[in-house]
Amino acid sequence: MWFFEIINDFVIGYPIFVSVIWIVGCIYEAIYRRKEILPLYDKEPLVSILVPAHNEHDTLWDAVESISNIHYKNFEVILIDDKSDDDTLHIMYEIQKKYADQFTVKVIPIEVNQGKANAMNQGFANSAGKYIMGIDSDSIIAKDSVSIMVRTLESNSKLGAVAGKPVVRNRTTILGRLQLLEYIGVIDIIKKAQSFLYGRVNTVSGVIVGFRREALKDVNGWDPKIITEDIDITWRLYRKNWKIKYQPSIICWILVPENVRNLIKQRRRWARGGMEVLVKNHDFLIHSDITRKALLYETIISNLWAVLTALSTISYLLNFLVDHEVQLDGDVLLILIGISFLQFGIGFWGSKERAYLDFKDLLLIPIYVVYYWMINLISCITALVSFFLDPKQDGTWRSPDRGL
């Protein structure tokens, strides 16, 4: 029937179509960025670096050590312990003693685990900086990240936030290397394309992001009731007409899950956060400018694609079991793999100097196309089910899988 043919064409054609859009947008954004000149500052404004943590015994020392080596000099570090079960709070006080002669370190203990958003609010309330940088406690930031963040925010008084670029650093497993490919060949390229096409991004990255103090005050900080605080604050800043910019020169290296189950849990949380933002900002679907509409409709179409792809996959499997026929079009699969190589190749080329990449990583692209898309598909479907069955979830932290 024609209806099922349309669905089949959409399931197959959508990833190819959006990949082409991402590639074109990314290329033009790179051309535009070459002409960008960030202003220099006469005097370094104070930057408050917030580091929220929950059970981060293994990572906190390295994160603060990377901060101690940055080129920027006028900053304070605010360590927030969200009721850890290990010795994270004790480590924070040790860090405070060690670096007392180099820079200010404030330690904020929280008595009840209430989640990252609440921890960031507590840190912000105790900060004094003109600009606020948030990083995860497993992040290793580049030496020039704070300087570039400040110069970017100084370039436009309407900029409420600037999003940095995370790069995977634990690459000892196939799953870790697949996520490395995703961060440089999908997430980075999408944000570059969104920056060029819409002049805004769908979300800042919670692992490294810089804010203007006035913008955070304008939206009353982070919402503790939301499961993905970074997506939510992005759209609350848009609602107050603040601009947000993606700056891929702000680099941090992160740890990612190396267990499939934990990876799916992480991606399900991301997908659910996107749905929460969609529901909260449903009025933008009609009453908003074209760029915000485009980002939200893109989220709707992506979720629709996930549902239809899941149903099509079930249909393919049933057809194979009953009729022993494979309905996959080899030419279409070849086109998809070819576009993926082009997309990841562009991402690789744009990140190779600072992300310490190996050309051998590109050999995993066929595995990514076949296997890793299924991970995200499963995550999206389960997030949809979870969202409709349990629309309210708390924001407390669990000990993460950092693939150490």
Side-chain angles (χ1 to χ4, degrees), residues 37 166 185 192 195 198 308 310 339:
I37 300 176
K192 287 177 179 177
S195 295
Y198 308 139
L308 293 178
I339 290 177

Side-chain angles (χ1 to χ4, degrees), residues 117-264:
N118 177 70
M120 293 294 283
N121 284 332
Q122 295 295 324
F124 179 51
N126 287 274
S127 69
K130 176 181 179 181
Y131 299 121
I132 311 298
M133 173 176 269
I135 70 167
D136 279 359
S137 51
D138 69 327
S139 296
I140 304 296
I141 66 173
K143 294 180 180 180
D144 58 357
S145 286
V146 177
S147 300
I148 296 174
M149 180 206 76
V150 171
R151 291 177 63 190
T152 303
L153 287 168
E154 291 272 298
S155 69
N156 187 346
S157 61
K158 298 296 184 180
L159 269 180
V162 55
K165 174 180 176 178
V167 179
V168 174
R169 63 186 173 105
N170 53 323
R171 311 172 186 181
T172 56
T173 66
I174 294 294
L175 198 58
R177 288 185 173 272
L178 286 172
Q179 289 173 87
L180 169 66
L181 282 177
E182 182 185 34
Y183 273 88
I184 66 168
V186 178
I187 295 175
D188 180 46
I189 281 184
I190 289 176
K191 287 188 175 181
K192 287 177 179 177
Q194 288 177 342
S195 295
F196 176 76
L197 296 171
Y198 308 139
R200 60 177 87 235
V201 293
N202 193 42
T203 177
V204 299
S205 177
V207 295
I208 180 163
V209 57
F211 295 96
R212 189 180 302 274
R213 173 173 287 275
E214 292 86 349
L216 283 177
K217 285 183 176 180
D218 198 19
V219 297
N220 297 316
W222 292 263
D223 186 350
K225 298 178 182 179
I226 298 297
I227 197 169
T228 47
E229 82 296 329
D230 46 1
I231 304 176
D232 176 70
I233 200 168
T234 301
W235 284 87
R236 286 194 292 113
L237 285 169
Y238 286 153
R239 189 168 284 278
K240 291 289 188 175
N241 294 317
W242 288 98
K243 295 181 180 297
I244 295 176
K245 184 173 183 177
Y246 178 53
Q247 179 54 270
S249 297
I250 302 176
I251 299 286
C252 77
W253 290 273
I254 63 171
L255 296 173
V256 295
E258 292 186 336
N259 174 283
V260 172
R261 180 181 178 184
N262 290 328
L263 176 61
I264 291 176

Side-chain angles (χ1 to χ4, degrees), residues 262-311:
N262 290 328
L263 176 61
I264 291 176
K265 286 172 62 178
Q266 180 197 61
R267 298 311 162 89
R268 183 172 64 231
R269 184 175 64 85
W270 290 2
R272 183 186 173 97
M275 295 170 203
E276 289 178 345
V277 165
L278 185 61
V279 171
K280 284 185 65 176
N281 296 279
H282 66 276
D283 56 312
F284 279 171
L285 293 170
I286 300 176
H287 306 291
S288 182
D289 59 76
I290 188 65
T291 58
R292 285 183 288 194
K293 286 180 181 177
L295 286 174
L296 290 176
Y297 277 112
E298 183 180 313
T299 301
I300 293 174
I301 295 172
S302 296
N303 286 323
L304 176 62
W305 176 84
V307 172
L308 293 178
T309 301
L311 295 175

Side-chain angles (χ1 to χ4, degrees), residues 36-174:
E36 180 183 50
I37 300 176
L38 296 176
L40 297 174
Y41 36 75
D42 297 327
K43 182 179 179 181
E44 293 183 341
L46 178 64
V47 174
S48 299
I49 304 177
L50 310 187
V51 188
H54 176 73
N55 294 348
E56 297 293 356
H57 168 90
D58 295 316
T59 63
L60 191 56
W61 275 110
D62 290 340
V64 178
E65 183 180 0
S66 74
I67 295 173
S68 71
N69 292 323
I70 62 175
H71 296 154
Y72 203 83
K73 300 304 178 184
N74 189 20
F75 67 93
E76 62 177 1
V77 176
I78 302 178
L79 306 176
I80 312 108
D81 176 62
D82 195 24
K83 191 57 178 178
S84 295
D85 300 318
D86 61 7
D87 61 345
T88 294
L89 182 58
H90 173 74
I91 291 173
M92 287 181 175
Y93 286 119
E94 290 296 313
I95 289 172
Q96 187 179 49
K97 291 178 183 178
K98 177 179 179 179
Y99 292 105
D101 295 333
Q102 294 180 244
F103 49 85
T104 299
V105 178
K106 299 176 182 177
V107 177
I108 312 297
I110 299 176
E111 295 300 322
V112 179
N113 178 2
Q114 299 180 61
K116 183 178 178 180
N118 177 70
M120 293 294 283
N121 284 332
Q122 295 295 324
F124 179 51
N126 287 274
S127 69
K130 176 181 179 181
Y131 299 121
I132 311 298
M133 173 176 269
I135 70 167
D136 279 359
S137 51
D138 69 327
S139 296
I140 304 296
I141 66 173
K143 294 180 180 180
D144 58 357
S145 286
V146 177
S147 300
I148 296 174
M149 180 206 76
V150 171
R151 291 177 63 190
T152 303
L153 287 168
E154 291 272 298
S155 69
N156 187 346
S157 61
K158 298 296 184 180
L159 269 180
V162 55
K165 174 180 176 178
V167 179
V168 174
R169 63 186 173 105
N170 53 323
R171 311 172 186 181
T172 56
T173 66
I174 294 294

